[in-house]
């Protein structure tokens, strides 16, 4: 029974998938934040030129 417990890798696989999902979420959040900052500056320039 103890040998079977140490050979079971199903929990490790779930943790790996969780870490992968977290990494993807961090990358997406970072990309959206950078894109939002760039868009805000572009719209500010456009608004200033229209004034």
């Amino acid at each position: 029974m103890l040998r079977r417990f140490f050979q079971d890798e199903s929990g490790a696989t779930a943790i790996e998938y969780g870490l992968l999902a977290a990494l993807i979420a961090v990358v997406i959040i970072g990309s959206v934040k950078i894109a939002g900052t760039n868009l805000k500056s572009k719209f500010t320039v456009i608004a200033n030129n229209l004034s």
Side-chain angles (χ1 to χ4, degrees), residues 33-47:
K33 184 171 179 153
I34 290 171
T37 303
N38 290 340
L39 283 175
K40 181 180 178 184
S41 65
K42 289 191 188 297
F43 280 123
T44 302
V45 169
I46 291 170

Side-chain angles (χ1 to χ4, degrees), residues 6-31:
F6 284 116
Q7 290 176 346
D8 185 17
E9 294 182 1
S10 61
T13 303
I15 291 172
E16 290 169 354
Y17 282 130
L19 290 173
L20 187 61
L23 178 64
I24 291 171
V26 167
V27 169
I28 290 172
I29 290 169
S31 300

